[in-house]
Amino acid sequence: MANTETALKEALTSIEGATGVALVDYTSGMALGTMGGSKAFDLNVAAAGNTDVIRAKMRTMEMLGLKSEIEDILITLSDQYHLIRLLQGRGGNGLFLYLVLDSTRANLAMARHQLKRIEEDLEV
């Protein structure tokens, strides 16, 4: 079992192309922990903004009567991937991992696989 700091550090160092990572509470929009990012890319601002993405998708699923659970959401920019992975089980309800990747260096399939593994080991 990994604590928040260990999980964030592992994501940033072991996922090829990762430039920032955060653990976020989407009920409040607050980042519980961040690593990476830059002055030009504030992970706290991005974390708060991505809570709106999750809430909008959940409302849409509810209106459509979909009973599935969201595993992850991918936002593709011209030079970055933003991967939002909702935590499942073990007290992770209402939390998500937010990963920013440099699209020129990242392997998206491997990043998704590694982020899922990190989520499984995370003790919140």
Side-chain angles (χ1 to χ4, degrees):
M1 295 295 152
N3 65 22
T4 299
E5 184 178 348
T6 302
L8 295 178
K9 188 174 191 176
E10 182 178 354
L12 194 59
T13 59
S14 72
I15 299 176
E16 184 71 27
T19 60
V21 63
L23 177 64
V24 185
D25 177 345
Y26 66 78
T27 57
S28 69
M30 298 294 296
L32 305 177
T34 64
M35 245 178 225
S38 67
K39 288 184 180 183
F41 192 90
D42 186 332
L43 281 167
N44 288 300
V45 172
N50 280 303
T51 61
D52 293 335
V53 172
I54 292 172
R55 291 175 189 156
K57 187 59 185 173
M58 289 181 156
R59 279 193 309 273
T60 302
M61 289 175 61
E62 186 177 329
M63 288 187 291
L64 293 170
L66 299 176
K67 302 297 181 202
S68 298
E69 292 187 14
I70 299 170
E71 284 186 32
D72 58 40
I73 297 170
L74 172 65
I75 300 168
T76 305
L77 305 179
S78 60
D79 60 348
Q80 294 178 333
Y81 297 126
H82 293 217
L83 188 57
I84 301 166
R85 179 158 186 89
L86 278 68
L87 271 60
Q88 308 295 327
R90 283 201 329 269
N93 197 20
L95 302 177
F96 68 92
L97 283 166
Y98 172 61
L99 180 67
V100 181
L101 299 158
D102 176 340
S103 63
T104 63
R105 298 184 301 130
N107 177 326
L108 189 55
M110 283 302 297
R112 291 181 71 218
H113 175 74
Q114 288 174 281
L115 198 59
K116 181 178 181 180
R117 183 185 47 76
I118 289 167
E119 173 210 349
E120 290 170 351
D121 290 339
L122 179 61
E123 179 83 17
V124 184

Short mmCIF file of all heavy atoms in Angstrom, two decimals, residues 7-52:
data_model
loop_
_atom_site.label_atom_id
_atom_site.label_comp_id
_atom_site.label_asym_id
_atom_site.label_seq_id
_atom_site.Cartn_x
_atom_site.Cartn_y
_atom_site.Cartn_z
N ALA A 7 2.61 7.50 -4.07
CA ALA A 7 1.90 7.21 -5.31
C ALA A 7 2.13 8.30 -6.34
O ALA A 7 2.37 8.01 -7.53
CB ALA A 7 0.40 7.06 -5.03
N LEU A 8 2.09 9.57 -5.93
CA LEU A 8 2.32 10.67 -6.85
C LEU A 8 3.74 10.64 -7.39
O LEU A 8 3.98 10.84 -8.58
CB LEU A 8 2.02 12.01 -6.19
CG LEU A 8 0.56 12.26 -5.78
CD1 LEU A 8 0.43 13.61 -5.08
CD2 LEU A 8 -0.39 12.16 -6.95
N LYS A 9 4.69 10.37 -6.50
CA LYS A 9 6.09 10.30 -6.92
C LYS A 9 6.30 9.16 -7.91
O LYS A 9 7.01 9.32 -8.90
CB LYS A 9 6.99 10.13 -5.69
CG LYS A 9 8.46 10.23 -5.98
CD LYS A 9 9.25 10.19 -4.69
CE LYS A 9 10.70 10.56 -4.94
NZ LYS A 9 11.46 10.61 -3.69
N GLU A 10 5.70 8.03 -7.65
CA GLU A 10 5.82 6.89 -8.55
C GLU A 10 5.24 7.22 -9.92
O GLU A 10 5.83 6.90 -10.95
CB GLU A 10 5.13 5.66 -7.96
CG GLU A 10 5.27 4.44 -8.85
CD GLU A 10 4.63 3.19 -8.29
OE1 GLU A 10 4.17 3.20 -7.14
OE2 GLU A 10 4.60 2.19 -9.03
N ALA A 11 4.07 7.87 -9.94
CA ALA A 11 3.46 8.23 -11.22
C ALA A 11 4.36 9.17 -12.01
O ALA A 11 4.57 8.99 -13.21
CB ALA A 11 2.09 8.88 -10.99
N LEU A 12 4.92 10.16 -11.34
CA LEU A 12 5.74 11.16 -12.02
C LEU A 12 7.06 10.58 -12.52
O LEU A 12 7.54 10.96 -13.59
CB LEU A 12 6.00 12.34 -11.07
CG LEU A 12 6.56 13.61 -11.70
CD1 LEU A 12 5.63 14.15 -12.77
CD2 LEU A 12 6.77 14.66 -10.63
N THR A 13 7.63 9.64 -11.77
CA THR A 13 8.94 9.11 -12.15
C THR A 13 8.88 7.85 -13.00
O THR A 13 9.79 7.60 -13.79
CB THR A 13 9.80 8.81 -10.91
OG1 THR A 13 9.13 7.87 -10.07
CG2 THR A 13 10.09 10.09 -10.13
N SER A 14 7.82 7.06 -12.88
CA SER A 14 7.79 5.78 -13.61
C SER A 14 6.97 5.82 -14.90
O SER A 14 7.12 4.94 -15.74
CB SER A 14 7.26 4.67 -12.70
OG SER A 14 5.86 4.82 -12.49
N ILE A 15 6.14 6.83 -15.08
CA ILE A 15 5.33 6.90 -16.29
C ILE A 15 6.04 7.79 -17.29
O ILE A 15 6.23 8.99 -17.04
CB ILE A 15 3.90 7.39 -15.99
CG1 ILE A 15 3.19 6.42 -15.04
CG2 ILE A 15 3.11 7.56 -17.29
CD1 ILE A 15 1.81 6.86 -14.59
N GLU A 16 6.44 7.21 -18.39
CA GLU A 16 7.18 7.94 -19.43
C GLU A 16 6.38 9.14 -19.94
O GLU A 16 5.21 9.00 -20.29
CB GLU A 16 7.48 7.00 -20.60
CG GLU A 16 8.32 7.60 -21.69
CD GLU A 16 9.77 7.82 -21.28
OE1 GLU A 16 10.26 7.08 -20.40
OE2 GLU A 16 10.40 8.72 -21.84
N GLY A 17 7.00 10.29 -19.91
CA GLY A 17 6.36 11.51 -20.42
C GLY A 17 5.54 12.28 -19.40
O GLY A 17 5.02 13.35 -19.71
N ALA A 18 5.43 11.77 -18.17
CA ALA A 18 4.65 12.46 -17.14
C ALA A 18 5.32 13.76 -16.76
O ALA A 18 6.53 13.80 -16.50
CB ALA A 18 4.47 11.57 -15.91
N THR A 19 4.54 14.84 -16.72
CA THR A 19 5.08 16.15 -16.33
C THR A 19 4.39 16.70 -15.08
O THR A 19 4.88 17.65 -14.48
CB THR A 19 4.94 17.18 -17.46
OG1 THR A 19 3.56 17.34 -17.79
CG2 THR A 19 5.72 16.74 -18.69
N GLY A 20 3.28 16.10 -14.70
CA GLY A 20 2.57 16.52 -13.50
C GLY A 20 1.53 15.51 -13.11
O GLY A 20 0.99 14.80 -13.96
N VAL A 21 1.24 15.45 -11.81
CA VAL A 21 0.25 14.51 -11.30
C VAL A 21 -0.38 15.10 -10.04
O VAL A 21 0.28 15.83 -9.30
CB VAL A 21 0.89 13.12 -11.02
CG1 VAL A 21 1.96 13.19 -9.95
CG2 VAL A 21 -0.16 12.07 -10.68
N ALA A 22 -1.65 14.80 -9.84
CA ALA A 22 -2.35 15.28 -8.65
C ALA A 22 -3.37 14.24 -8.20
O ALA A 22 -3.91 13.49 -9.01
CB ALA A 22 -3.05 16.60 -8.93
N LEU A 23 -3.63 14.22 -6.89
CA LEU A 23 -4.76 13.48 -6.32
C LEU A 23 -5.77 14.53 -5.92
O LEU A 23 -5.45 15.46 -5.18
CB LEU A 23 -4.32 12.65 -5.11
CG LEU A 23 -5.45 11.88 -4.40
CD1 LEU A 23 -6.03 10.82 -5.34
CD2 LEU A 23 -4.95 11.26 -3.12
N VAL A 24 -7.00 14.39 -6.44
CA VAL A 24 -7.98 15.46 -6.31
C VAL A 24 -9.30 14.92 -5.74
O VAL A 24 -9.74 13.83 -6.10
CB VAL A 24 -8.26 16.10 -7.69
CG1 VAL A 24 -9.19 17.30 -7.58
CG2 VAL A 24 -6.96 16.50 -8.37
N ASP A 25 -9.92 15.72 -4.89
CA ASP A 25 -11.26 15.46 -4.38
C ASP A 25 -12.23 16.21 -5.29
O ASP A 25 -12.26 17.43 -5.30
CB ASP A 25 -11.37 15.98 -2.95
CG ASP A 25 -12.75 15.81 -2.34
OD1 ASP A 25 -13.72 15.55 -3.09
OD2 ASP A 25 -12.86 15.97 -1.12
N TYR A 26 -13.03 15.46 -6.08
CA TYR A 26 -13.90 16.15 -7.03
C TYR A 26 -15.20 16.67 -6.41
O TYR A 26 -15.95 17.37 -7.06
CB TYR A 26 -14.17 15.34 -8.30
CG TYR A 26 -14.95 14.07 -8.17
CD1 TYR A 26 -16.33 14.06 -8.04
CD2 TYR A 26 -14.31 12.85 -8.25
CE1 TYR A 26 -17.04 12.88 -7.95
CE2 TYR A 26 -15.01 11.66 -8.17
CZ TYR A 26 -16.37 11.69 -8.02
OH TYR A 26 -17.07 10.51 -7.94
N THR A 27 -15.44 16.39 -5.15
CA THR A 27 -16.60 17.03 -4.50
C THR A 27 -16.28 18.47 -4.12
O THR A 27 -17.15 19.34 -4.16
CB THR A 27 -17.06 16.23 -3.26
OG1 THR A 27 -15.96 16.12 -2.35
CG2 THR A 27 -17.55 14.85 -3.65
N SER A 28 -15.01 18.73 -3.79
CA SER A 28 -14.61 20.08 -3.41
C SER A 28 -13.75 20.77 -4.47
O SER A 28 -13.63 22.00 -4.47
CB SER A 28 -13.81 20.05 -2.10
OG SER A 28 -12.55 19.43 -2.30
N GLY A 29 -13.13 19.99 -5.35
CA GLY A 29 -12.23 20.55 -6.34
C GLY A 29 -10.83 20.81 -5.82
O GLY A 29 -9.99 21.37 -6.50
N MET A 30 -10.56 20.38 -4.60
CA MET A 30 -9.26 20.62 -3.98
C MET A 30 -8.28 19.48 -4.27
O MET A 30 -8.65 18.31 -4.18
CB MET A 30 -9.40 20.75 -2.46
CG MET A 30 -10.27 21.90 -2.01
SD MET A 30 -9.60 23.50 -2.41
CE MET A 30 -8.13 23.50 -1.43
N ALA A 31 -7.04 19.85 -4.58
CA ALA A 31 -5.98 18.86 -4.76
C ALA A 31 -5.49 18.45 -3.38
O ALA A 31 -5.14 19.29 -2.55
CB ALA A 31 -4.85 19.45 -5.59
N LEU A 32 -5.46 17.15 -3.12
CA LEU A 32 -4.97 16.62 -1.85
C LEU A 32 -3.46 16.46 -1.89
O LEU A 32 -2.83 16.33 -0.84
CB LEU A 32 -5.63 15.29 -1.54
CG LEU A 32 -7.17 15.30 -1.53
CD1 LEU A 32 -7.71 13.91 -1.27
CD2 LEU A 32 -7.70 16.29 -0.51
N GLY A 33 -2.90 16.48 -3.09
CA GLY A 33 -1.47 16.39 -3.27
C GLY A 33 -1.14 16.61 -4.73
O GLY A 33 -1.93 16.25 -5.60
N THR A 34 0.00 17.25 -4.99
CA THR A 34 0.44 17.47 -6.37
C THR A 34 1.94 17.24 -6.44
O THR A 34 2.66 17.39 -5.45
CB THR A 34 0.15 18.90 -6.86
OG1 THR A 34 0.89 19.83 -6.09
CG2 THR A 34 -1.33 19.23 -6.80
N MET A 35 2.41 16.91 -7.65
CA MET A 35 3.83 16.81 -7.93
C MET A 35 4.04 17.16 -9.39
O MET A 35 3.26 16.78 -10.25
CB MET A 35 4.34 15.39 -7.67
CG MET A 35 5.33 15.32 -6.56
SD MET A 35 5.86 13.66 -6.22
CE MET A 35 5.75 13.73 -4.45
N GLY A 36 5.11 17.90 -9.64
CA GLY A 36 5.41 18.31 -11.00
C GLY A 36 4.70 19.61 -11.34
O GLY A 36 4.48 20.44 -10.47
N GLY A 37 4.34 19.75 -12.59
CA GLY A 37 3.74 20.99 -13.04
C GLY A 37 4.83 22.03 -13.23
O GLY A 37 6.02 21.72 -13.26
N SER A 38 4.43 23.29 -13.36
CA SER A 38 5.38 24.38 -13.54
C SER A 38 4.69 25.70 -13.21
O SER A 38 3.49 25.72 -12.93
CB SER A 38 5.89 24.41 -14.98
OG SER A 38 4.83 24.75 -15.86
N LYS A 39 5.44 26.79 -13.27
CA LYS A 39 4.82 28.09 -13.04
C LYS A 39 3.77 28.37 -14.10
O LYS A 39 2.76 29.00 -13.83
CB LYS A 39 5.88 29.19 -13.04
CG LYS A 39 6.75 29.18 -11.82
CD LYS A 39 7.72 30.34 -11.82
CE LYS A 39 8.58 30.26 -10.55
NZ LYS A 39 9.49 31.39 -10.46
N ALA A 40 4.02 27.90 -15.31
CA ALA A 40 3.09 28.11 -16.42
C ALA A 40 1.90 27.14 -16.38
O ALA A 40 0.90 27.36 -17.05
CB ALA A 40 3.81 28.00 -17.75
N PHE A 41 2.04 26.05 -15.61
CA PHE A 41 0.98 25.05 -15.53
C PHE A 41 0.72 24.71 -14.07
O PHE A 41 1.39 23.86 -13.49
CB PHE A 41 1.35 23.78 -16.32
CG PHE A 41 0.18 22.85 -16.51
CD1 PHE A 41 -0.64 22.98 -17.61
CD2 PHE A 41 -0.10 21.88 -15.57
CE1 PHE A 41 -1.72 22.13 -17.78
CE2 PHE A 41 -1.19 21.03 -15.73
CZ PHE A 41 -2.00 21.17 -16.83
N ASP A 42 -0.24 25.40 -13.48
CA ASP A 42 -0.58 25.23 -12.06
C ASP A 42 -1.50 24.03 -11.90
O ASP A 42 -2.66 24.06 -12.33
CB ASP A 42 -1.24 26.51 -11.55
CG ASP A 42 -1.50 26.50 -10.06
OD1 ASP A 42 -1.67 25.40 -9.47
OD2 ASP A 42 -1.53 27.59 -9.47
N LEU A 43 -1.00 22.99 -11.28
CA LEU A 43 -1.78 21.77 -11.10
C LEU A 43 -3.01 21.98 -10.22
O LEU A 43 -4.02 21.30 -10.41
CB LEU A 43 -0.90 20.66 -10.51
CG LEU A 43 0.01 19.96 -11.51
CD1 LEU A 43 1.05 19.13 -10.79
CD2 LEU A 43 -0.78 19.11 -12.47
N ASN A 44 -2.95 22.90 -9.27
CA ASN A 44 -4.11 23.16 -8.42
C ASN A 44 -5.26 23.76 -9.23
O ASN A 44 -6.42 23.41 -9.04
CB ASN A 44 -3.74 24.08 -7.26
CG ASN A 44 -2.88 23.36 -6.24
OD1 ASN A 44 -3.29 22.37 -5.67
ND2 ASN A 44 -1.68 23.86 -6.03
N VAL A 45 -4.94 24.67 -10.15
CA VAL A 45 -5.96 25.25 -11.02
C VAL A 45 -6.53 24.18 -11.96
O VAL A 45 -7.75 24.07 -12.14
CB VAL A 45 -5.39 26.44 -11.83
CG1 VAL A 45 -6.38 26.93 -12.87
CG2 VAL A 45 -4.98 27.57 -10.89
N ALA A 46 -5.64 23.37 -12.53
CA ALA A 46 -6.08 22.30 -13.43
C ALA A 46 -6.95 21.29 -12.70
O ALA A 46 -7.96 20.82 -13.22
CB ALA A 46 -4.87 21.62 -14.05
N ALA A 47 -6.57 20.95 -11.47
CA ALA A 47 -7.35 19.99 -10.67
C ALA A 47 -8.75 20.50 -10.42
O ALA A 47 -9.74 19.77 -10.60
CB ALA A 47 -6.63 19.72 -9.35
N ALA A 48 -8.86 21.76 -10.04
CA ALA A 48 -10.18 22.35 -9.77
C ALA A 48 -11.02 22.37 -11.04
O ALA A 48 -12.21 22.04 -11.02
CB ALA A 48 -10.01 23.76 -9.21
N GLY A 49 -10.41 22.74 -12.15
CA GLY A 49 -11.15 22.79 -13.41
C GLY A 49 -11.62 21.43 -13.89
O GLY A 49 -12.71 21.30 -14.45
N ASN A 50 -10.81 20.42 -13.66
CA ASN A 50 -11.19 19.07 -14.12
C ASN A 50 -12.29 18.45 -13.27
O ASN A 50 -12.92 17.49 -13.71
CB ASN A 50 -9.96 18.17 -14.20
CG ASN A 50 -9.19 18.45 -15.47
OD1 ASN A 50 -9.74 18.35 -16.56
ND2 ASN A 50 -7.94 18.83 -15.33
N THR A 51 -12.56 18.98 -12.11
CA THR A 51 -13.71 18.50 -11.35
C THR A 51 -15.00 18.81 -12.11
O THR A 51 -15.95 18.03 -12.08
CB THR A 51 -13.78 19.12 -9.94
OG1 THR A 51 -13.91 20.52 -10.04
CG2 THR A 51 -12.56 18.78 -9.13
N ASP A 52 -15.01 19.94 -12.83
CA ASP A 52 -16.19 20.29 -13.65
C ASP A 52 -16.39 19.29 -14.77
O ASP A 52 -17.52 18.97 -15.13
CB ASP A 52 -16.06 21.70 -14.22
CG ASP A 52 -16.12 22.77 -13.14
OD1 ASP A 52 -16.71 22.52 -12.07
OD2 ASP A 52 -15.55 23.86 -13.37
#
